[in-house]
Amino acid sequence: MDKEKIINIFLIVVILGAVFGGRYYYLQSTKANSSIENVQKKVEQIYEDISELEFKTNNLHTLQLSAEKSRLERQLKQLKKQLDNI
Amino acid sequence: MDALLKLAAVLTLLWGGWMYFKNSDSETELRKVRNELKVSKGEVGEAQASYEAEVKKRDALAEEVNALKEQNQQLEKDIRAKIKEKSERAAQERRDRLAAEEEAREERRKAREAELAKAKEERDAKWKQEEEEERKRQEEEDAKQEEEDAKYAAERAAERERSASQWQSEECKQKIKSANVKMQRYLSCRAYDPGDVQDYGRIDLLKKKWTLNVQACLKAANDGNRKKLKAASKALRDTANGLNSMSGGKNAGCLSDAAEVIEAAETIIDATKQLKKLNLQGR
């Protein structure tokens, strides 16, 4: 075998390798893009869920309840005082 | 051919390389996105945990708030009950106090009424007594007044009597004086001396007798001696008769004169007697 042939074979192998490799990477890339899309969707969904959770958390009105509790505690104190004074 | 092959090789290598890098980018992107997903999963877990904690907190708060509300409601109920009890007690005390005051007022009223009744009784008794005393006093005063009136009337009567007696005595004196004057006037006889009377001397004598009789009458009258006056009057009447008959009835005037003289003498005696009486009364 002469050198050219080897080079040609090598080139053909390179070409084939590049093609198949390229094709592989192309497919992987496509797959990755698809995954990226899915994951992005998932992430969006998660962020939506987080927003929803935050919204729901805000709607729990915990602060208002806490304020209500403080108010009721003060009222309780006053009422006890009032009861003692009667 | 070699050139094409080389070109193909180069191109395919380039394409392959490009694919590789594209894949690398995609892988990197994917890794990035997966990290992001991980993070977001962590975040969502945290958010979930936070939410659940918040829910628990909220539930706990809600329970506490409900418990506080119930406690407050109970306290308010207790306060209202206590206030009601206090006000009822106060109302009862007030009612008792009012009842006691009413009772005390009633007793005071009764006591006052009794006092008033007693005072009225005393006042009536006093008034009666005063009225009695007043009546007695009035009676005494009336009696006194009557006495005084009687006294006054008596005094007035006495005064009048005195005046009357004074007047009467004056009258008597006047009568006596008039009678005396009259008698003095009749001392000289007014007998008509008719020229043809036979016994002229007897008329003259009778005239003298007349004068004496009149004087006797006058003296008897002034002495107040009725007996003597009677005798002197008889003598005078006889003398007058004598004069009249002696003059043939022409000296009837002598009879009336004699009557006048006798009347005057009697008047003197009566007046003198009355005067004496009046003088005695006046003393």
Side-chain angles (χ1 to χ4, degrees):
Chain A
M1 244 199 245
D2 51 359
K3 198 178 164 182
E4 279 189 22
K5 265 193 186 173
I6 294 168
I7 293 170
N8 286 341
I9 290 166
F10 175 72
L11 285 174
I12 288 166
V13 167
V14 164
I15 287 165
L16 285 170
V19 163
F20 282 113
R23 187 168 172 273
Y24 170 73
Y25 285 123
Y26 171 74
L27 286 172
Q28 285 295 109
S29 170
T30 308
K31 201 173 161 185
N33 286 336
S34 173
S35 296
I36 285 168
E37 275 180 28
N38 287 338
V39 168
Q40 276 180 340
K41 276 183 186 169
K42 278 184 185 171
V43 166
E44 275 174 19
Q45 184 60 44
I46 283 168
Y47 280 131
E48 274 181 19
D49 289 343
I50 287 171
S51 298
E52 198 178 318
L53 278 170
E54 280 177 358
F55 176 74
K56 275 162 81 172
T57 306
N58 287 338
N59 278 352
L60 287 175
H61 304 295
T62 317
L63 279 175
Q64 285 90 330
L65 274 174
S66 186
E68 177 75 8
K69 183 186 164 188
S70 301
R71 187 187 70 79
L72 286 169
E73 280 171 350
R74 280 197 302 275
Q75 192 181 18
L76 181 69
K77 224 176 177 179
Q78 274 180 352
L79 287 170
K80 279 183 179 172
K81 219 177 181 180
Q82 198 179 350
L83 187 64
D84 291 336
N85 286 339
I86 293 174
Chain B
M1 183 79 174
D2 289 338
L4 277 172
L5 209 61
K6 282 180 185 170
L7 185 66
V10 165
L11 285 173
T12 49
L13 272 172
L14 283 172
W15 182 76
W18 183 57
M19 282 294 117
Y20 172 75
F21 284 117
K22 201 174 163 193
N23 183 44
S24 290
D25 286 342
S26 296
E27 289 286 327
T28 307
E29 188 64 30
L30 183 61
R31 264 199 301 279
K32 207 166 120 186
V33 167
R34 277 190 177 147
N35 278 340
E36 207 177 315
L37 179 65
K38 206 192 252 181
V39 165
S40 63
K41 274 186 178 174
E43 282 181 8
V44 85
E46 279 176 15
Q48 184 68 34
S50 165
Y51 171 72
E52 282 170 5
E54 200 71 17
V55 164
K56 274 187 189 166
K57 194 177 164 189
R58 197 270 322 258
D59 289 342
L61 275 173
E63 271 181 30
E64 284 177 19
V65 160
N66 286 337
L68 281 170
K69 278 185 181 173
E70 278 179 20
Q71 234 177 329
N72 287 354
Q73 279 174 3
Q74 187 58 41
L75 275 175
E76 282 174 358
K77 227 187 239 178
D78 293 343
I79 287 169
R80 277 197 294 275
K82 215 169 176 183
I83 288 172
K84 192 178 172 187
E85 189 191 320
K86 204 174 173 185
S87 66
E88 277 177 6
R89 204 166 43 236
Q92 185 60 35
E93 281 175 10
R94 188 169 169 271
R95 277 196 294 274
D96 293 341
R97 195 177 66 244
L98 286 173
E101 281 178 9
E102 186 63 34
E103 220 176 285
R105 212 176 5 251
E106 186 64 27
E107 281 180 14
R108 280 199 300 273
R109 187 187 65 78
K110 283 183 182 168
R112 199 167 52 246
E113 277 183 3
E115 271 181 32
L116 286 171
K118 193 178 168 188
K120 186 173 181 298
E121 255 182 55
E122 285 175 6
R123 214 176 32 250
D124 288 345
K126 195 177 171 187
W127 178 78
K128 236 182 195 170
Q129 193 187 358
E130 280 177 5
E131 208 184 25
E132 192 61 34
E133 283 174 8
E134 180 66 21
R135 191 184 59 76
K136 280 184 185 168
R137 191 186 62 79
Q138 195 65 37
E139 278 178 3
E140 281 174 14
E141 275 190 16
D142 289 344
K144 219 187 240 178
Q145 189 64 38
E146 276 182 20
E147 217 179 277
E148 280 182 10
D149 287 346
K151 201 175 168 182
Y152 179 72
E155 279 178 8
R156 288 290 304 159
E159 187 68 32
R160 274 198 302 276
E161 225 174 86
R162 266 199 300 278
S163 311
S165 65
Q166 203 170 357
W167 177 77
Q168 279 175 359
S169 61
E170 285 298 319
E171 198 183 28
C172 290
K173 282 178 186 170
Q174 193 61 36
K175 275 184 183 172
I176 293 167
K177 194 177 169 184
S178 308
N180 270 305
V181 164
K182 193 189 258 186
M183 287 182 82
Q184 290 283 342
R185 207 169 53 237
Y186 285 121
L187 267 174
S188 57
C189 183
R190 291 191 301 150
Y192 170 67
D193 189 3
D196 57 348
V197 172
Q198 289 178 358
D199 198 355
Y200 173 78
R202 279 190 76 186
I203 289 188
D204 199 40
L205 192 68
L206 284 172
K207 274 188 181 180
K208 283 182 183 162
K209 200 174 178 184
W210 169 271
T211 305
L212 287 171
N213 287 332
V214 169
Q215 280 175 348
C217 285
L218 187 60
K219 189 169 184 307
N222 284 325
D223 290 342
N225 197 335
R226 276 196 197 272
K227 213 173 175 180
K228 276 190 180 169
L229 177 65
K230 197 173 174 182
S233 304
K234 188 177 177 302
L236 185 65
R237 271 199 293 276
D238 290 340
T239 309
N241 278 327
L243 279 166
N244 190 30
S245 64
M246 213 161 274
S247 65
K250 287 186 183 152
N251 283 323
C254 292
L255 292 168
S256 60
D257 288 348
E260 291 272 346
V261 166
I262 293 163
E263 194 186 334
E266 282 176 355
T267 303
I268 289 171
I269 288 179
D270 289 338
T272 308
K273 197 174 174 185
Q274 197 174 358
L275 189 63
K276 250 186 214 167
K277 203 162 129 186
L278 288 170
N279 286 339
L280 282 169
Q281 277 175 359
R283 283 186 206 144

